[in-house]
Amino acid sequence: MDSPIAHHNPDKHRLPWLLALPKFGIVLLMAALMALLWLLQQSEREEQRNILIKDVLWLEQNLRFHLEGNRDLLQQLAVDMAEPQERARLFRVRSTHLLKNSPEISQISWLDSENKPIIAVPSRNLSDSAANQKGPSPTEQAFEVAKKLGKPAYSQPFFNQSQQSIIELLIPIYNGAELGGMLLATYPLNDLLNSQVPWWFTEKYKVEIVDDNDTLFASKTNLEGLYADSYQIPFDPPGHGLRLKVSNYPNDQSILQRLLTLAILLLAGGVFWSLWLIRGLMQKSTRAEEALRSEHAFRAAMEDSLTVGMRARDLNGRIIYVNPAFCRMTGFSAEELVDRTPPMPYWAPEHLDDTEAMHRVVLAGQAPTEGFEITFMRKNGERFQALVYEAKLIDGNGQHTGWMASVLDITERKHAEELARQQQEQLQFTARLVTLGEMASTLAHELNQPLAAIASYNTGCLNLLASDQVNCQDLKPALEKLGAQAQRAGKIIRRVHDFVRKSEPKRAPCALGEVIDDCLGFVEPDARKRQIRIEAEIPALPLVPADRLMLEQVLLNLIRNGMDAMAESPLADRLLRITAMVENNEIRVTVADQGCGIAPEIRDKLYTAFFTTKQEGMGVGLSICRSIIEFHRGRLWTETLQNSPTGSGTAFIFTLPLESE
């Protein structure tokens, strides 16, 4: 007894052949239809081509007949003008009549034997010379040809200064055997087509006059679009390589035939495709399953490789997905987190209220687009800083189903930022000490003067007290001067102490004028020693939110840089100007010197850390200055002074915003 499989195999082998026969028939039908379409198109194209040629020949004969008729009338006028009696009146009457009957002629002129105009009808200048003509004009060339041959001659086509395409017909006038003049008829080619090409012709074709280089001189048509075919024929007269080019449009009937054939082909293709439908669906299902498995494996590999934690929640805040990176970040497994509702096990108890508030903000759709920082807790109790970005979770139907969060552990980055801030503060403090060290000798000299005066006044008082004729009134002036010098020394020491003290940056309302005065008190001894004049133009300024000590460091650094730049300048040019003004809701401070200037090749490196042009410099001054100004939300830049007496002065400019914290 045969098994069921043995009975099933013949049907299985015959089924592909049974399905292939209709497909083969459809392929033959499609091939036959395509061949029929090609034959119909070829026949129709040939027929349209023959009609186009016939119409072009008719148009060419019509134009030739009309041009030759005009030529004959002008020749007769030239013969009649051979008689000297009333030639001017005869020219005007006959020319006016010819212009009325031949609107394609724009002007008829009477020239003498030297090609000089005598009379023109109409009198206005329509046929001006060819634009950009080098050598003899087309009119002059045609005049010479007609003169030598003794018969009418057409000029070469040209564009006049009004960009009209023109041809001219010149007919000689003879007085006996001598040339008595010349008749000149001007044909604008566009007017020739407009008057001689009938309207029904332009409903089917586009008519153009071109030359051998396909330069377009005139055209006429009432339709727009793509042209199916064109035919050209020499345009003689006037000759000179001119050709009539006529292009036809696609036939509406041809388009309908093509659409019908296309519909049949589409129908045949639909039938052909329907035979493959069942097989295609099965193959598609198999491919979909394979693609799903591949996509699942790809997604799993991608999730395992991510270092960014991914967490998905539904609209009620319930966790529906976490990736391995989030599990590693918090220390909890996916089974411990999925389906959990707030409060979450990774929320830090001490920040529970803030975390719940941010949770409600996210569910309300108001999470900051730039992300937010929050403190989370690992399973072992360790706290870490996280940066969270929330986005809508959209399903395959475009519905909002929850929220997807990207979570980054920024604990190390926060530590690095804090370390960088501390290092920056230490560098600023070190820079102040370096600045003070560079000014130490000048400050010592400045401090030595009041101390020497105190010692001198003290010795004088002791001498007076040692004498028997001591008077208290004699001691009072000396003691007052001694006290003033002591205050002067104390002020210098206090200024040094304030400058070198180490404190946390603190922005508070600050009087910029007082800061500038304190800086000038610091540098005044050094400026006198270097014979540098300092001019400060500081008007009454509003208070600015700033750290006073930081601003002193910036100003002192810029002032000392300006003084160093004028070390080689002549004594008369050693001037440092400090100005301040309020502009666009900010204070703009300028420190300008008349020194050696800044070379272009080092201008871009000025604010680079540890770059210096001084032999003993650290290269951190300007870098710190820019950091301080940017900390105050301002800007610091450099400009070259063009009107400086030395021609190479430099201005350091910085701004400080006036808005309060």
Side-chain angles (χ1 to χ4, degrees):
M1 183 175 180
D2 294 335
S3 65
I5 298 179
H7 288 290
H8 181 69
N9 284 337
D11 294 336
K12 182 177 180 181
H13 290 297
R14 284 197 300 267
L15 183 59
W17 290 98
L18 293 175
L19 293 176
L21 287 176
K23 298 173 187 175
F24 183 69
I26 295 299
V27 170
L28 291 178
L29 177 60
M30 293 177 64
L33 288 175
M34 293 178 65
L36 177 61
L37 175 62
W38 182 80
L39 291 175
L40 288 175
Q41 288 180 344
Q42 290 297 111
S43 176
E44 182 183 358
R45 187 177 301 172
E46 189 66 27
E47 182 180 357
Q48 289 182 355
R49 181 73 174 178
N50 292 334
I51 295 174
L52 172 63
I53 294 174
K54 291 179 182 178
D55 289 340
V56 173
L57 292 175
W58 173 86
L59 179 63
E60 189 272 339
Q61 291 175 359
N62 185 52
L63 292 175
R64 180 189 299 175
F65 173 77
H66 204 77
L67 290 174
E68 289 179 351
N70 290 340
R71 183 193 62 190
D72 293 340
L73 292 175
L74 289 169
Q75 278 185 302
Q76 185 60 43
L77 176 58
V79 172
D80 295 340
M81 289 179 65
E83 298 295 332
Q85 294 83 6
E86 298 184 357
R87 289 196 296 180
R89 180 177 175 276
L90 176 65
F91 171 77
R92 287 192 176 91
V93 172
R94 298 274 289 277
S95 297
T96 302
H97 178 74
L98 182 58
L99 289 173
K100 288 181 180 179
N101 295 326
S102 301
E104 68 275 6
I105 302 177
S106 62
Q107 187 181 57
I108 300 176
S109 302
W110 177 15
L111 309 177
D112 61 12
S113 59
E114 300 298 329
N115 198 13
K116 302 287 182 61
I118 300 175
I119 303 174
V121 179
S123 58
R124 62 184 183 276
N125 185 17
L126 295 177
S127 58
D128 47 2
S129 61
N132 301 323
Q133 178 68 35
K134 295 181 179 179
S137 67
T139 304
E140 294 172 347
Q141 295 175 6
F143 186 93
E144 293 298 324
V145 172
K147 179 178 178 181
K148 291 179 180 179
L149 298 179
K151 61 180 182 180
Y154 283 93
S155 70
Q156 293 183 353
F158 64 91
F159 290 94
N160 61 12
Q161 295 176 355
S162 302
Q163 295 304 311
Q164 285 183 304
S165 55
I166 301 292
I167 60 171
E168 295 175 335
L169 173 62
L170 287 95
I171 301 174
I173 303 173
Y174 284 96
N175 294 329
E178 295 182 358
L179 181 67
M182 197 77 68
L183 291 180
L184 185 147
T186 302
Y187 287 91
L189 292 178
N190 275 315
D191 293 348
L192 178 62
L193 294 183
N194 289 334
S195 62
Q196 296 305 315
V197 178
W199 66 270
W200 58 265
F201 199 90
T202 56
E203 293 294 333
K204 296 172 56 180
Y205 304 109
K206 179 179 182 181
V207 182
E208 297 174 306
I209 298 178
V210 298
D211 62 5
D212 292 333
N213 297 322
D214 284 334
T215 302
L216 179 63
F217 289 94
S219 65
K220 182 180 181 183
T221 185
N222 289 333
L223 297 177
E224 295 182 357
L226 300 175
Y227 303 105
D229 195 8
S230 63
Y231 184 74
Q232 299 184 22
I233 190 171
F235 188 21
D236 190 11
H240 295 291
L242 288 181
R243 292 176 291 157
L244 279 176
K245 179 180 179 182
V246 180
S247 305
N248 63 356
Y249 293 86
N251 193 348
D252 293 339
Q253 184 177 2
S254 173
I255 296 176
L256 291 176
Q257 291 176 355
R258 293 177 184 176
L259 291 177
L260 180 60
T261 306
L262 179 61
I264 295 173
L265 292 175
L266 290 176
L267 180 60
V271 174
F272 183 79
W273 175 252
S274 65
L275 298 175
W276 289 82
L277 185 58
I278 297 177
R279 179 183 178 184
L281 289 175
M282 294 178 62
Q283 292 178 345
K284 184 177 180 181
S285 176
T286 303
R287 288 194 298 268
E289 292 176 0
E290 294 177 355
L292 182 61
R293 286 193 295 269
S294 299
E295 183 67 23
H296 184 271
F298 176 78
R299 177 180 171 182
M302 182 175 64
E303 291 176 355
D304 293 341
S305 65
L306 282 177
T307 59
V308 177
M310 305 297 294
R311 177 197 62 192
R313 295 181 290 180
D314 61 14
L315 295 176
N316 296 321
R318 181 176 60 89
I319 296 178
I320 58 177
Y321 166 78
V322 288
N323 72 337
F326 188 82
C327 294
R328 291 192 298 269
M329 190 180 300
T330 60
F332 294 94
S333 65
E335 291 76 12
E336 293 175 303
L337 295 178
V338 174
D339 289 333
R340 288 293 298 265
T341 57
M344 302 301 176
Y346 50 83
W347 287 4
E350 65 273 17
H351 299 288
L352 188 61
D353 294 338
D354 295 338
T355 307
E356 287 183 349
M358 182 55 68
H359 172 76
R360 290 191 294 269
V361 168
V362 172
L363 294 185
Q366 299 175 354
T369 56
E370 67 277 8
F372 58 90
E373 295 183 9
I374 195 167
T375 301
F376 282 158
M377 179 180 66
R378 307 189 203 276
K379 190 174 183 178
N380 59 7
E382 180 186 355
R383 271 60 172 173
F384 68 96
Q385 292 296 116
L387 178 61
V388 183
Y389 296 92
E390 294 280 357
K392 289 183 177 180
L393 186 62
I394 307 298
D395 65 7
N397 297 321
Q399 298 295 322
H400 177 205
T401 60
W403 301 93
M404 175 63 76
S406 300
V407 184
L408 289 82
D409 186 350
I410 59 172
T411 306
E412 294 299 327
R413 191 179 80 181
K414 285 295 219 180
H415 290 165
E417 290 176 354
E418 178 62 22
L419 181 60
R421 186 188 65 81
Q422 295 176 0
Q423 291 176 345
Q424 181 70 12
E425 292 178 3
Q426 184 63 35
L427 187 60
Q428 293 177 10
F429 179 69
T430 303
R432 291 200 297 271
L433 293 180
V434 170
T435 301
L436 190 64
E438 293 174 351
M439 300 173 60
S441 61
T442 303
L443 289 174
H445 176 73
E446 187 70 11
L447 187 61
N448 186 56
Q449 290 182 350
L451 293 178
I454 290 172
S456 176
Y457 290 133
N458 182 63
T459 302
C461 290
L462 291 175
N463 292 335
L464 288 175
L465 290 173
S467 64
D468 295 336
Q469 300 178 352
V470 62
N471 189 348
C472 293
Q473 296 298 324
D474 294 337
L475 292 175
K476 183 177 180 181
L479 293 175
E480 290 177 348
K481 293 180 179 179
L482 187 148
Q485 294 297 325
Q487 290 180 358
R488 179 183 174 189
K491 186 175 181 181
I492 294 173
I493 294 173
R494 185 175 62 256
R495 187 181 294 127
V496 172
H497 175 266
D498 290 342
F499 186 70
V500 299
R501 79 179 188 274
K502 190 173 183 180
S503 62
E504 293 290 329
K506 182 179 180 182
R507 298 178 66 184
C510 177
L512 190 59
E514 296 178 1
V515 175
I516 295 175
D517 289 340
D518 287 347
C519 292
L520 293 179
F522 249 127
V523 301
E524 185 178 0
D526 195 18
R528 287 198 308 267
K529 180 180 178 181
R530 302 189 189 190
Q531 298 182 352
I532 294 175
R533 292 172 291 122
I534 300 178
E535 294 182 0
E537 298 179 7
I538 312 299
L541 299 173
L543 297 179
V544 59
D547 184 287
R548 181 187 182 97
L549 187 60
M550 285 184 171
L551 291 187
E552 286 185 1
Q553 185 173 357
V554 171
L555 283 166
L556 191 60
N557 198 302
L558 297 181
I559 292 172
R560 296 190 71 250
N561 281 351
M563 293 170 59
D564 292 341
M566 294 186 290
E568 303 298 330
S569 299
L571 295 179
D573 295 335
R574 296 183 183 181
L575 173 63
L576 186 75
R577 292 178 59 85
I578 304 173
T579 58
M581 67 178 70
V582 178
E583 185 180 75
N584 297 330
N585 201 32
E586 62 184 12
I587 296 180
R588 175 174 173 148
V589 180
T590 303
V591 179
D593 62 67
Q594 297 181 171
C596 58
I598 300 174
E601 60 269 14
I602 67 171
R603 181 177 295 274
D604 295 336
K605 304 177 183 178
L606 279 179
Y607 302 97
T608 303
F610 305 109
F611 173 79
T612 181
T613 57
K614 303 177 183 178
Q615 293 182 354
E616 300 178 356
M618 293 176 60
V620 295
L622 290 178
S623 176
I624 291 175
C625 289
R626 171 167 281 186
S627 299
I628 292 174
I629 296 301
E630 290 177 350
F631 169 77
H632 288 83
R633 301 176 186 174
R635 296 183 301 119
L636 172 63
W637 71 94
T638 309
E639 293 182 0
T640 300
L641 299 180
Q642 301 295 336
N643 56 354
S644 171
T646 60
S648 59
T650 303
F652 286 88
I653 306 168
F654 67 87
T655 59
L656 297 171
L658 291 176
E659 58 269 19
S660 59
E661 291 288 327

